[in-house]
Amino acid sequence: MASIREQFEIPAKMKTWAYGLIGAGVLAFILGLFTKEHNEFIGTIMYNSLYWMLICNASMFFICATTLAMGGWQVAFRRVPEAISKMVLIFGPIAFLVLIYIVFVDHNHHIYHWLSDEAKEDPILKGKLGFLNPVFFLVWTVLAIGLWALLGARMRKLSAEADDAALRGEEPGKSFIWRNTVTASLFIVWFALTVGSTVPWLWMMSIDAHWYSTMYSWYTFASSFVSGMSLIALFVIYLKNKGYLEYTNQEHLHDIGKFMFAFSIFWTYLWFSQYMLIWYANIPEETVYFKHRVQGPYKGIFFLNLIINFVCPILILMTRSAKRNYTLITFMAVMIIFGHWIDFYQMIMGSIRKDDAALSWFDFGIAAFFIGMIILFTGKALASRPLVPKYHPFLKESIIHHT
Amino acid sequence: MHLKYESQLREPLVYGDKTYHQVTEDIVRPIEAKPTKLWYVGFFIAVALLMFGVYSVYREVTYGIGQWNLNKTIGWGWDITNFVWWVGIGHAGTLISAILLLFRQGWRTGVNRAAEAMTIFAVMCAGQFPIFHMGRVWMAFFVLPYPNTRGPLWTNFNSPLLWDVFAISTYFTVSLLFWYSGLLPDFATIRDRAKTKLRKYLYGVAAFGWTGSTKHWQRHESLSLVLAGLSTPLVLSVHTIVSFDFATSVIPGWHTTIFPPYFVAGAVFSGFAMVQSLMLILRKVFGMEDYITLGHIEAMNKVIVLTGSIVGCAYLTELFMGWYSQNKYEGYTFWYSRANLFSPYGWSYWGMMACNVISPQIFWFRKMRRNLFVTFFMSVIVNIGMWFERFVIIVTSLYRDYLPSSWSVYYSPTPWEMGFYLGTFGLFFTCFFLFAKYFPVIAVAEIKYVLKTSGESFKDGMDNIEEKGSEEFAHEYAH
Amino acid sequence: MAFGQKFKLINMAKKTFVVGCFDDEEVLFPAVKKTRLAGYKIHDIYTPFPVHGLDHAMGLRETSLHTAGFIYALCGTSTALGSISWILTKDWPLNFGGKPHFALPAWIPITFELTVLFSAVGMVLSFCYLCQMAPFVKKHHFHERATDDLFVMVIETTGKTNIDELKGFLSNNGAKEVNVQVAEPGWWLGRYDKDQELIREQVEVA
């Protein structure tokens, strides 16, 4: 009976890549600081930090949602989303600093129009200042990121108990499941109050300070969740290729693939609902959001977004064999992460720079920094404890999982 | 052959020491027995309600829509409220069968059959309202797109009302096919054990000559899986399109982009509440406590608290945007017409909030989720609340529009308007009583499929597997 | 013979089958494997519920029903988009609310519905056709408890088969009940409350 490789050791190549990407990112940052226009510079850093933080946080949402659904199938690779969700501890503060810089230091009313003095006289904006003001912004941002990090850490701490043989048996098992359920539901409730509603309004929708759409937050959630699933898929496949995660196989990959497929369609559904309703009702205050995106400089990116995030997943991931194919899932996961990064680009930059859409070396450079960080720190988090929660009560179900 | 195992920490889905044959016996016996007195009483009450409904509709058809109290700006009232309410209820069946199948929630096997039946009957009820709302119901075929005697003038494909025609009829057809294809093996079971000639003949016809051949099962599974896959977006699309009836307009309170997913969540919410009410009655009347267990009821209550909270999140989002938009019409609709308890219809908004958002929160407590009385009470409350929701959306947005001179008088329904609604209850329960008597209310083959994994006595026998270390277990059983 | 004249459809001869009934799928699986190794031809196995992996054990090929479903879906999509765009841009263009004649976003809902409808209806009809199932269709049932609690393995014999040996083989492999039946393998129109057959005369078994 061969024993499993439960301790991940970071390969040198992984470190090299991570440092390389981070280095490229830092270089891009320095070059951008001197060559890029200020708003483009800060906007690019802003959408990247929000996007990468949200997709890492989506891992914790995945863990909590499956915990509440009493899922057993995901236990074999559960440590992977746990490790990814740890990124919130790093990306959270980064995003926080960026936002606080914009609001308090830079006082950038080009990005957040509600910061300007005109806003106090604007008949619409002045009514919104109860929500859109620096103090509330600060408090809510601290609470949002802080509680994601805190509750996430609690979930990870609970998970550590599954490395201990004391969890065997009925009573400890039941209590373990119960405590997981409680923390998971707290996280989900907080997630609904932040990602599912207020936070995308505050951080992103308020860039178009006059404009509003009730769908906006759920749309943002769908976008970040489907890319979060793709990120999980990438790490699972990486570990499989390195010979880890012996209990995870095609069956699990198939189910991850189903999530990627289903939530791509769900994202499209929300996209269509929001777009079609605004197009159909044709109210000028609302269509202003789409005007330059569909007919102006963002046209190409707008349709590219739809092709990458809808047409490709639905056609490529539809079949059973595609969802069980490591290469194809890797390809699609990269594609989806890129696609929704584009989506965040057009959501944020499309509002900050309405007359000019140019994805440049700078966007990719900043993205490289965040990707490098994910590789480096997720790798460290993976190496910091066993890859399989050996005594998790549902592990055996996960081992024999079949679709 | 896969190992039949699940964690002993999970509650069994089937209680008692069952064999395959015992499962057949338990579920098919009520079909073979004479109906009980209670059944007759219920059935005749349902038929009586249906008759009252038929009479109410007869008045509406002969005398016209004037039999209802719809007025100048409130052109949609009880009828469309009831339509949306029934369509919403008709969502849980397909959700249980399709989405829970994809999310691998084992407990769906106990309740899917009855839930799907409920879906079909609810959609039938829903369909009545827009059809009779047309007024000249004999012209109802005008909604069908065909080159006709009016010159080759077609229907308006850009209209959400026509989308509804397609959505509801597709949904009805696909749900029926899904339900019936699942019933085929169970009809065959009844046929093969039938003692009377008539039963053998009728179930023989109904079973389409099903034999249980492995090749047929293989195709059947493929069919079920694809139908489930199709039904998942379909079920979303149907209530989405119903929400488009409102949201494509420019009416404050109707035109809001969150409507599609929020309507779907509300539909699931009310559908589950109705399934819950019916299941609690079914398990009691037919003695199905071994198959529809407390675990099933608790799981459904979890879905109720989840969807109730999603709906609550959407209500608050709308309310917030009513203010945040700083659009005075939006603000007026949300903060005066609705959220102000003392506005003419304020009672309906707060009724909705109390029933849909506040009261279901007691299901955060496990004790409440497992309490049959509380569950039944709450399932009724939720359905009342969801009726309020549709009433709030329709009436409070219509009774005061942009032009104060055309604000309408207070709207309350006539007896015939209410009679129509009661009549659809009659239709629904008539169908449901017939279903409960003549159809297997629990999917026999599906219970057998999970029996050795999730049956109580089989789970008790898994002690030796449960004691194994994970590495040893994986070594022996992993494929 | 009324039916016989009208529907000369499938097998015009009865065949002899050896039937082994198992009461546990865990016994069935090894028996299937051994039967195939021994070179017997399994006509079919009738089970009360879908037994996972049995089709593979029997060596059946995967069904391509879902591929058919995909093709039907594409038919639905193109029917909807084709008809609506022809109607609203060529046949009778109308101005609805100032929208362009080619108002694609407004057509998505109906397109989606017809996609699903075509796919679902087409698949169910294909399923019924492939399985030869319809109301009033009758087939020979090897054991009436095959839809209750028995797993019925039916082996087709040829003139060379040693039937007694085969019966012994099945019993040794766990079959609770073994018998020999001469039956029609196809389907015919008939009623389940009456004994009807397509071919009445017994076929000589060598």
Side-chain angles (χ1 to χ4, degrees), chain A residues 1 69-70 124 127-128 168 201 205 212-215 247 255 258 269 277 280-281 286 393 396-397 401, chain B residues 7 9-10 104-105 158 160 240 255-258 260 320-321 323-326 465-468 471 474:
Chain A
M1 195 175 76
M70 296 285 275
I124 302 277
K128 298 189 182 196
R168 297 179 74 162
W201 302 334
M205 196 172 84
Y212 63 95
S213 166
T214 40
M215 179 76 98
Y247 299 153
D255 270 6
K258 275 185 192 165
Y269 162 66
L277 288 176
Y280 201 107
E286 294 183 353
K396 286 176 199 158
E397 287 184 10
H401 173 65
Chain B
S7 167
L9 292 185
R10 292 181 194 275
R104 13 192 111 270
Q105 298 288 306
N158 292 1
T240 294
H255 178 68
T256 159
T257 48
I258 208 172
F320 173 80
M321 287 296 169
W323 166 79
Y324 178 83
S325 67
Q326 289 292 309
I465 303 181
E466 201 68 281
E467 273 161 22
K468 283 197 172 94
E471 293 195 10

Side-chain angles (χ1 to χ4, degrees), chain B residues 169-336:
Chain B
S169 50
T170 300
Y171 185 56
F172 179 71
T173 314
V174 176
S175 303
L176 195 66
L177 292 175
F178 194 27
W179 182 62
Y180 200 84
S181 61
L183 271 165
L184 288 171
D186 291 359
F187 279 151
T189 303
I190 304 175
R191 173 197 68 201
D192 290 346
R193 49 179 273 135
K195 297 284 186 293
T196 69
K197 280 204 148 190
L198 182 66
R199 191 179 300 143
K200 197 142 197 123
Y201 170 63
L202 290 175
Y203 286 100
V205 174
F208 283 24
W210 176 266
T211 55
S213 150
T214 305
K215 187 71 198 175
H216 295 182
W217 274 122
Q218 187 200 38
R219 293 195 186 111
H220 191 265
E221 292 230 329
S222 165
L223 178 72
S224 307
L225 204 65
V226 177
L227 284 185
L230 286 172
S231 303
T232 307
L234 179 65
V235 75
L236 259 73
S237 83
V238 175
H239 226 58
T240 294
I241 289 176
V242 171
S243 83
F244 286 165
D245 292 345
F246 303 101
T248 50
S249 71
V250 291
I251 294 181
W254 284 13
H255 178 68
T256 159
T257 48
I258 208 172
F259 252 34
Y262 137 54
F263 262 51
V264 172
V268 173
F269 182 49
S270 67
F272 263 91
M274 190 58 117
V275 173
Q276 193 75 277
S277 313
L278 294 176
M279 282 302 153
L280 287 172
I281 298 170
L282 265 187
R283 77 196 282 273
K284 189 84 203 146
V285 173
F286 289 133
M288 298 283 189
E289 282 92 344
D290 282 350
Y291 298 94
I292 304 166
T293 65
L294 270 182
H296 288 88
I297 289 165
E298 185 181 2
M300 287 198 275
N301 280 337
K302 282 183 185 167
V303 177
I304 288 179
V305 69
L306 170 75
T307 47
S309 304
I310 295 179
V311 166
C313 182
Y315 293 161
L316 296 179
T317 296
E318 283 188 328
L319 201 59
F320 173 80
M321 287 296 169
W323 166 79
Y324 178 83
S325 67
Q326 289 292 309
N327 174 323
K328 52 185 150 186
Y329 300 105
E330 294 277 338
Y332 185 83
T333 301
F334 282 103
W335 289 93
Y336 176 75

Side-chain angles (χ1 to χ4, degrees), chain A residues 129-145:
Chain A
L129 294 182
F131 179 68
L132 301 179
N133 64 67
V135 176
F136 181 77
F137 192 95
L138 176 71
V139 171
W140 201 250
T141 305
V142 169
L143 279 178
I145 298 176

Side-chain angles (χ1 to χ4, degrees), chain C residues 2-20:
Chain C
F3 291 128
Q5 257 82 49
K6 277 185 200 158
F7 301 98
K8 289 187 178 175
L9 281 170
I10 306 176
N11 289 289
M12 292 312 293
K14 290 193 177 183
K15 287 178 180 167
T16 305
F17 299 97
V18 177
V19 180

Side-chain angles (χ1 to χ4, degrees), chain A residues 105-123:
Chain A
V105 183
D106 199 26
H107 216 75
N108 193 325
H109 56 81
H110 182 82
I111 292 180
Y112 288 134
H113 191 47
W114 45 269
L115 286 170
S116 67
D117 291 332
E118 292 163 46
K120 296 192 180 83
E121 269 119 64
D122 185 298

